[in-house]
Amino acid sequence: MNIKFDFSKPIGKVKAMHAVGQPPRLGVSDAHMHWLTDAHIPYSRLHDVGGPFGGNVYVDIPNIFRDFGADENDPASYDFAFTDNLIEQLMAARCEPIYRLGVTIENSRHLNIYNIVPPSDYNKWARICEHIVRHYNEGWADGYEYGITYWEIWNEPDNDEPSTGKNAMWTGSMEDYFKLYEISSTHLKNCFGEKIKVGGFASCGFYGLFAEPEWYGASVDRSRTANAREKYFMDFAVKFLDYVKEHDLPLDFFSWHSYASVTETEAMADFVDCELTKRGLGNVETQLNEWNNAPVVSLRGTSCASARAAAMMIAMQNKKTDILCYYDARIGQSVYGGLFNPMTYEPLCTYYSFKAFGELYALGTQVEAIYEHGDVYALAAIDNSGRRAVLIANVGDDIEISTNLSDMKAELVDETHMLSGISLDPASFVLAKNQVVLLSN
């Protein structure tokens, strides 16, 4: 395979494709937060923080505003202590939170339901959100002036099981969520204008594309059997965007999720862009703010997981998507926590794919890379001083690669190489299956 890089042809900025959800914390310690800084990770989305039900202290509206009957204008009605500690540590690590205004998923809803019910007063809920923004951005209630940009209204209200009538995130109807979004987004934008970006709804994803592609006008192969849950995801998203357009609602960013392959996720991104554009919303930012294409324990810490992650970040850099947040960067026992060893707390090789991408992100400007990628994904970047870097991921069989590069050092990522320096001729080399290489001058 031949790859030609042209550092004289800038394409645009290297985007935040290596952001994460849930930062690497143990308790309230910041001992592991430096891994975010080391990898130039720019954002951490705060959803499901602190374990089941937000650990009862973090981020979630019911954790911060514990008595919904209290006065939302009184600072004494709010408990910011643990969330302050978390956000202080993130900002110190130069990693800005993406703040999810809502609640933690309740996967044990069959036992009992606690916080996933719609607020009894949407207007009051919006005013509570306003005061949380004021606390972190305007110093209200002995707060801060962080200037946090992204404020997301709820998470996955479409996370429904139609066969059982159980939703892990929202017990209300589709229309109930639309009304919550309408009231909250309008109120927050009226309060803060362009100082913040408001959006949602953190869609569960668009897997239905691959069951009924012709129905959605998608040029993809049929690879799934239609099911009611995934069709509901699709219907919810389409109707949400219709509602936003019809009611002229604020929508600074549209967020969605995918636990699918790179190829399927690329198709989902195209679908999102198409649906926004056809409604005159083509300027709206998009965030794939939950993704993981190796979410099984058997793949944790494997070359397969690290190569898949690098391939996803590179591929999505070339889509319109503005931000990706990998789910997630927690330290602990979870099939989704793919960056750190839950026993030793040390980074796994997948983390080093993020760090490698972070090197290109720090350079800032993407430049042209010409190739027929197949199972190989390549990205190049440059900064104003002429520093250059190239990231190549191979998720297929061993392959011989030739380039127009010279005089660049090489660092490898796989199960035995944690972005380790190796001897390699950048003009011609073999990249093994599930290896990632960073080349830089």
Side-chain angles (χ1 to χ4, degrees):
M1 165 180 276
N2 182 62
I3 309 176
K4 181 181 179 181
F5 300 99
D6 191 337
F7 290 92
S8 69
K9 291 185 178 179
I11 293 175
K13 69 176 183 178
V14 180
K15 299 178 292 186
M17 301 290 99
H18 62 314
V20 298
Q22 294 198 42
R25 292 211 317 166
L26 288 171
V28 297
S29 170
D30 65 353
H32 304 281
M33 297 290 275
H34 69 92
W35 296 116
L36 301 176
T37 312
D38 295 348
H40 304 289
I41 290 176
Y43 298 103
S44 175
R45 178 177 179 251
L46 303 185
H47 171 63
D48 291 349
V49 176
F53 314 111
N56 198 35
V57 291
Y58 290 104
V59 176
D60 296 1
I61 302 298
N63 292 345
I64 288 179
F65 194 81
R66 293 183 171 273
D67 178 4
F68 199 77
D71 179 2
E72 71 272 22
N73 299 302
D74 183 356
S77 301
Y78 295 79
D79 183 353
F80 289 111
F82 280 82
T83 307
D84 282 356
N85 175 259
L86 168 62
I87 293 181
E88 284 173 1
Q89 292 179 6
L90 280 172
M91 299 304 284
R94 300 196 296 276
C95 183
E96 182 177 333
I98 295 173
Y99 200 112
R100 187 270 290 125
L101 296 163
V103 299
T104 294
I105 194 168
E106 295 185 10
N107 287 313
S108 300
R109 60 199 179 280
H110 59 287
L111 297 178
N112 204 359
I113 288 172
Y114 294 92
N115 297 319
I116 60 175
V117 297
S120 58
D121 182 338
Y122 290 176
N123 288 287
K124 182 172 184 177
W125 192 86
R127 293 192 297 272
I128 294 166
C129 293
E130 170 204 338
H131 285 90
I132 293 173
V133 177
R134 292 196 188 282
H135 177 73
Y136 290 109
N137 283 5
E138 296 185 349
W140 183 79
D142 297 321
Y144 308 84
E145 296 182 0
Y146 285 143
I148 295 170
T149 304
Y150 293 103
W151 300 86
E152 185 177 41
I153 297 173
W154 217 262
N155 169 79
E156 294 186 355
D158 57 337
N159 196 337
D160 194 35
E161 293 283 359
S163 61
T164 63
K166 296 291 187 181
N167 186 315
M169 279 303 316
W170 178 256
T171 62
S173 67
M174 184 186 300
E175 293 73 22
D176 289 334
Y177 174 75
F178 296 168
K179 182 57 66 174
L180 177 73
Y181 183 86
E182 177 179 8
I183 290 171
S184 302
S185 64
T186 301
H187 181 74
L188 290 174
K189 292 300 284 186
N190 284 343
C191 289
F192 303 105
E194 298 307 306
K195 294 179 181 178
I196 65 170
K197 293 183 180 181
V198 176
F201 60 92
S203 161
C204 283
F206 308 107
Y207 309 96
L209 284 178
F210 311 102
E212 301 175 301
E214 68 285 345
W215 181 260
Y216 300 104
S219 299
V220 299
D221 294 333
R222 185 189 304 272
S223 58
R224 305 170 74 93
T225 301
N227 67 66
R229 186 167 189 254
E230 292 176 355
K231 189 173 190 310
Y232 185 68
F233 297 168
M234 303 293 290
D235 291 346
F236 199 110
V238 169
K239 290 176 181 177
F240 171 78
L241 293 176
D242 285 341
Y243 193 92
V244 166
K245 181 64 176 178
E246 290 166 8
H247 293 80
D248 193 24
L249 301 184
L251 184 66
D252 294 316
F253 65 94
F254 177 77
S255 53
W256 56 284
H257 301 160
S258 172
Y259 290 88
S261 68
V262 174
T263 302
E264 287 189 335
T265 303
E266 288 180 289
M268 292 184 195
D270 291 339
F271 173 75
V272 169
D273 295 335
C274 180
E275 292 299 310
L276 288 167
T277 299
K278 72 170 59 172
R279 292 169 177 80
L281 301 172
N283 62 332
V284 170
E285 292 184 26
T286 57
Q287 294 184 9
L288 172 55
N289 63 18
E290 270 193 32
W291 71 272
N292 190 324
N293 55 355
V296 291
V297 172
S298 61
L299 290 177
R300 181 163 50 200
T302 65
S303 301
C304 177
S306 57
R308 285 185 183 182
M312 181 72 83
M313 291 183 281
I314 294 170
M316 294 301 287
Q317 167 69 23
N318 294 309
K319 294 297 179 180
K320 287 181 65 177
T321 312
D322 295 279
I323 294 174
L324 264 61
C325 296
Y326 175 82
Y327 192 89
D328 53 37
R330 80 180 84 183
I331 296 177
Q333 293 180 337
S334 168
V335 297
Y336 299 106
L339 300 190
F340 298 94
N341 186 316
M343 302 300 292
T344 66
Y345 312 149
E346 291 299 309
L348 299 166
C349 56
T350 303
Y351 166 83
Y352 288 97
S353 285
F354 280 75
K355 185 174 183 181
F357 189 95
E359 294 301 311
L360 276 68
Y361 179 80
L363 293 179
T365 301
Q366 180 184 2
V367 298
E368 185 176 81
I370 301 174
Y371 65 106
E372 294 290 334
H373 75 72
D375 291 325
V376 173
Y377 297 79
L379 182 68
I382 192 170
D383 70 5
N384 292 333
S385 69
R387 291 179 59 239
R388 303 174 178 186
V390 165
L391 185 63
I392 305 173
N394 177 27
V395 295
D397 293 330
D398 297 4
I399 188 167
E400 186 170 345
I401 293 176
S402 60
T403 77
N404 58 334
L405 302 175
S406 61
D407 299 323
M408 301 184 88
K409 69 176 183 179
E411 296 168 278
L412 195 66
V413 179
D414 62 19
E415 291 173 36
T416 58
H417 296 86
M418 305 299 167
L419 202 57
S420 308
I422 59 168
S423 178
L424 177 151
D425 178 1
S428 181
F429 59 94
V430 173
L431 194 61
K433 181 178 182 178
N434 291 328
Q435 284 188 331
V436 177
V437 65
L438 174 68
L439 305 172
S440 59
N441 66 353

